[in-house]
Amino acid sequence: MPRQELVHTIARLKADRGAIILAHNYQPPEIQDVADRLGDSLDLSRFAATATEKTIIFCGVHFMAETAAILSPDKKVILPDPKAGCPMADMMCAEDLVSVKKLHPGAVVVTYVNSTAEVKAETDICCTSANALAVVNSVPEGKKVIFGPDRYLGAWVAGQTTREMILWQGYCPTHQKIYPDEIDELRKVHAGAVVMVHPEVNPGVAAVADVVLGTGGMLAYVEKSPARTFIVGTEAGMVYRLQKRFPDRTFIPASERALCPNMKKISLEKIAKSLETLAPVITVEPRVADRARTAIRRMIETT
Ligand code: SF4
């Protein structure tokens, strides 16, 4: 079906079904263009919980749809491709976390929202890349923090807090495709550009950046910055999001290779099919969802 026809079909089915389409900032341009709301994973999940629509088409990866389902137990959350997973979230499993907790009795578990529902259920308090430092600092002095799954976000926080942190050794393969020497080369070509990188990059990349921010933080930073050109060190889909929001500025990806293959699994065809069939629905077992919700709510109350 030609793209324009597909876009019309999606709009018609969305109205028929009383659905809303949410898309993560890393989604492909054509998906961002049909979304009702763009954002980071937590922003979208919180929006889903307050939306009047009962059917949520979540264009992102599995843990994001799970988080939306945890916060909206009364709604149908649909992930157009259920195989869109997150390798970093899969690097931390609940059984291993339980074992590590036993090794450090009394430690507080802080888990990045990029984690499975089962891991969140074994967590004391969740965090995002934007509030990770504030969440860790909310842990009483003297208590150890078990932090996962991202070792680079963890290391970035550990460098700024007095809390003792035990870091899980997970990482995002996509953010590891950004290299400091390529940023140095881009700086030479774009003199005066501001380099913004995500805390999921490795420390060598963070060291050459001007600012380290989550995707929501990047949008807020550009809004206030007098700079005209920005080198963007995160998943390259963010460049389209920024360019659309700030058409008078220039955004350059720090690496054209930083494309998350899972984020790119969502297509217009799959969205149309999901609206037609109202599937696949992402569900979380109520006992797991209740415990995971508590960890997410603690974060929302803390920051
Ligand atoms: S960009 Fe990285 S953290 Fe985000 S979904 Fe892809 S693999 Fe996971």
Side-chain angles (χ1 to χ4, degrees):
M1 196 187 287
R3 180 182 291 191
Q4 213 39 45
E5 212 177 304
L6 206 44
V7 169
H8 285 135
T9 303
I10 288 170
R12 177 178 55 75
L13 286 168
K14 194 177 69 162
D16 287 353
R17 302 295 197 197
I20 191 167
I21 300 176
L22 310 183
H24 189 267
N25 293 325
Y26 296 161
Q27 284 291 296
E30 66 277 16
I31 307 296
Q32 294 195 27
D33 288 347
V34 297
D36 296 294
R37 175 131 180 151
L38 298 166
D40 60 31
S41 60
L42 188 68
D43 171 60
L44 293 176
S45 294
R46 290 169 84 170
F47 184 80
T50 56
T52 50
E53 291 83 358
K54 293 287 179 207
T55 300
I56 314 290
I57 306 292
F58 204 115
C59 303
V61 296
H62 195 271
F63 78 80
M64 297 177 181
E66 267 188 347
T67 307
I70 290 165
L71 292 181
S72 308
D74 56 328
K75 293 182 182 164
K76 198 181 275 238
V77 178
I78 295 167
L79 180 63
D81 186 332
K83 292 201 186 77
C86 169
M88 178 165 73
D90 293 341
M91 290 175 194
M92 187 175 189
C93 75
E95 292 73 24
D96 289 347
L97 176 55
V98 169
S99 303
V100 173
K101 279 162 77 167
K102 283 185 186 145
L103 293 175
H104 302 280
V108 175
V109 179
V110 177
T111 302
Y112 192 19
V113 285
N114 298 29
S115 54
T116 63
E118 288 75 16
V119 164
K120 288 186 179 80
E122 292 296 336
T123 292
D124 294 302
I125 179 164
C126 286
C127 73
T128 66
S129 55
N131 64 22
L133 180 59
V135 169
V136 168
N137 281 340
S138 75
V139 173
E141 284 279 8
K143 277 198 176 275
K144 285 185 196 171
V145 173
I146 299 169
F147 186 97
D150 186 8
R151 67 185 182 212
Y152 296 118
L153 175 62
W156 182 71
V157 172
Q160 303 172 75
T161 184
T162 53
R163 306 303 181 278
E164 184 185 341
M165 293 177 69
I166 299 146
L167 302 184
W168 211 266
Q169 291 302 306
Y171 61 92
C172 165
T174 298
H175 281 86
Q176 300 322 299
K177 292 179 181 157
I178 300 168
Y179 297 103
D181 52 343
E182 290 183 355
I183 292 180
D184 290 342
E185 288 305 310
L186 286 170
R187 270 199 201 270
K188 284 182 200 157
V189 180
H190 304 280
V194 171
V195 177
M196 310 186 288
V197 304
H198 195 280
E200 287 174 24
V201 297
N202 76 50
V205 175
V208 300
D210 296 306
V211 282
V212 179
L213 298 163
T215 55
M218 287 182 185
L219 285 153
Y221 183 88
V222 173
E223 179 121 55
K224 291 194 181 131
S225 171
R228 309 315 296 169
T229 306
F230 299 84
I231 295 166
V232 183
T234 188
E235 209 276 352
M238 187 63 192
V239 168
Y240 183 77
R241 169 81 166 104
L242 285 160
Q243 198 66 72
K244 204 172 160 175
R245 172 75 183 75
F246 303 103
D248 59 331
R249 317 282 183 102
T250 302
F251 300 96
I252 296 135
S255 168
E256 302 271 4
R257 296 181 307 280
L259 291 167
C260 174
N262 285 286
M263 282 284 178
K264 307 314 188 213
K265 281 185 178 156
I266 309 295
S267 65
L268 291 176
E269 286 80 1
K270 289 175 189 172
I271 293 175
K273 191 167 176 216
S274 283
L275 282 164
E276 236 170 63
T277 59
L278 293 180
V281 176
I282 301 301
T283 55
V284 179
E285 204 221 305
R287 194 186 54 83
V288 171
D290 287 347
R291 295 178 66 197
R293 196 178 305 114
T294 301
I296 297 168
R297 286 211 174 124
R298 276 196 198 117
M299 167 186 71
I300 292 168
E301 285 156 16
T302 302
T303 56

